[in-house]
Amino acid sequence: MTKLSDLTEREILALAIASEEEDGHIYADFGQMLAEDYPDSAAIFQDMAEEENHHRRALIDLFVRRFGNHIPLVRRQDVQGFPSRKSAWQMQNRGIEAIRAQAADMERQAARFYRQAAGQTNDAEIRKLLGDLATEEDRHQREARRLEDAHLNDNTRDREDEHSRRDFVLRIVQPGLVGLMDGSVSTLAPVFAAAFATHSPHAAFLVGLAASLGAGISMGLAEALADDGKLSGRGAPLLRGLICGAMTFGGGIGHTLPFLVPDFRLAFGVAIIAVAIELLLISWVRWRYQDTPFGSALVQVFLGGALVFATGVLIGSS
């Protein structure tokens, strides 16, 4: 891969043009993507896209004056060490704060790269050009902050942050919590029934592994097929299914792994501790993201877990 130090001044200017064009396109995509749910932030990104287009036109005018009408194609991915960019579609499910951070990083990375590259060349013209580009990217950062102050007051930012939080809960936390609860609670009965029926840690482990895998597959498919997310706003069904299935498996395997210990009493004791940790985690998530009082969540979750656990023990002991 080509190093920046191997590029001519003409190629460096072409790289700057391509970079500004790509950044402007990304900002415009952000604005379009956020327009419905975050209109104020969308306006910021539209303004930033216009700024990038203005800089691109200025660079093109400079290039034409210096080197003629043909601009060679020099892209970020063609130059070793040049910071890459995530497209808007890659940020769709990341939340508004992640998108804001991505935009800030885009400007910081470009400025830092140009400044580092300027220190690696002894050519006065290239050094001046890279320094000017770094200064321009620094100005972009200040301009982005000015635009944010112009468009976002405290109430607007709070409203957008709350919308982002609800979106995160709906798309990520909710399917994960459903899976964790199902995996942690529903697998208790078969695992401890097998443990008390056989007093064999190996048998209990096999039953728990099968129950965890089966429940994970079942819950993942159920979540993915239940809702396409278009009307409910719950996000991509595949992502929700993967989250729900993985958390279901994790909830079941947590109190299954202790039965890898060959001593039954020790394995049983560790499994009880694992169950308590899982139920505490469920209670914490409900308190943290669903505004459920922690004491109430604790009582509800532990009561349900105790009933299922007792069911397994009674069946296994009969």
Side-chain angles (χ1 to χ4, degrees):
M1 183 175 288
T2 303
K3 296 180 180 179
L4 184 69
S5 58
D6 297 330
L7 299 181
T8 64
E9 186 176 7
R10 176 173 176 266
E11 291 168 335
I12 291 173
L13 194 55
L15 174 61
I17 292 170
S19 299
E20 294 290 346
E21 184 174 33
E22 183 181 2
D23 287 354
H25 201 158
I26 292 174
Y27 289 144
D29 287 346
F30 282 161
Q32 182 69 25
M33 184 174 70
L34 298 172
E36 182 176 352
D37 295 328
Y38 305 98
D40 297 288
S41 287
I44 293 174
F45 285 114
Q46 293 292 354
D47 288 347
M48 291 175 69
E50 285 299 318
E51 281 288 316
E52 297 297 316
N53 287 333
H54 174 74
H55 300 150
R56 177 182 59 85
R57 289 192 293 269
L59 286 167
I60 290 175
D61 290 341
L62 176 59
F63 186 97
V64 171
R65 290 198 304 270
R66 291 286 304 275
F67 303 110
N69 291 324
H70 176 71
I71 302 175
L73 180 61
V74 185
R75 302 166 300 181
R76 286 187 172 99
Q77 59 264 40
D78 299 327
V79 180
Q80 181 177 337
F82 207 94
S84 60
R85 300 286 189 253
K86 288 185 178 179
S87 301
W89 67 267
Q90 294 176 291
M91 302 291 292
Q92 281 183 341
N93 297 312
R94 298 288 301 278
I96 184 64
E97 283 302 325
I99 293 175
R100 289 172 184 159
Q102 161 81 356
D105 284 342
M106 286 168 63
E107 303 298 339
R108 282 195 297 267
Q109 288 173 358
R112 183 168 59 249
F113 185 86
Y114 284 137
R115 193 163 285 112
Q116 289 175 349
Q120 295 174 2
T121 179
N122 295 320
D123 187 292
E125 287 188 302
I126 294 178
R127 195 181 187 93
K128 179 180 182 302
L129 177 61
L130 292 173
D132 290 344
L133 289 172
T135 301
E136 188 70 5
E137 294 297 336
D138 286 335
R139 193 180 73 79
H140 289 186
Q141 294 182 58
R142 294 192 297 272
E143 182 67 13
R145 287 193 292 270
R146 185 190 69 77
L147 291 172
E148 187 168 321
D149 291 338
H151 285 281
L152 293 182
N153 55 38
D154 291 340
N155 290 334
T156 301
R157 180 179 286 275
D158 290 342
R159 185 174 67 251
E160 290 193 350
D161 289 344
E162 178 59 25
H163 187 284
S164 179
R165 178 185 177 277
R166 290 199 304 267
D167 195 53
F168 174 73
V169 170
L170 195 63
R171 298 184 179 196
I172 305 298
V173 175
Q174 189 178 78
L177 181 60
V178 168
L180 182 61
M181 290 178 66
D182 185 85
S184 297
V185 176
S186 69
T187 58
L188 287 176
V191 171
F192 287 98
F196 274 82
T198 64
H199 286 270
S200 168
H202 181 67
F205 172 77
L206 292 179
V207 171
L209 180 62
S212 300
L213 287 171
I217 294 170
S218 175
M219 289 294 292
L221 288 174
E223 179 65 33
L225 297 176
D227 177 13
D228 63 7
K230 293 179 180 178
L231 294 178
S232 64
R234 297 181 65 216
L238 178 59
L239 177 62
R240 295 197 329 268
L242 289 173
I243 292 172
C244 185
M247 293 304 292
T248 302
F249 174 77
I253 204 67
H255 52 256
T256 297
L257 289 176
F259 287 101
L260 287 172
V261 177
D263 183 87
F264 178 77
R265 290 182 179 274
L266 179 59
F268 177 77
V270 176
I272 291 297
I273 295 173
V275 170
I277 293 173
E278 292 164 4
L279 298 181
L280 281 170
L281 178 59
I282 293 171
S283 302
W284 180 84
V285 172
R286 294 189 63 198
W287 166 75
R288 175 66 176 80
Y289 292 103
Q290 295 189 332
D291 298 325
T292 303
F294 187 74
S296 176
L298 202 64
V299 171
Q300 293 169 3
V301 171
F302 270 82
L303 178 60
L307 290 174
V308 177
F309 173 78
T311 300
V313 172
L314 288 174
I315 292 174
S317 301
S318 60

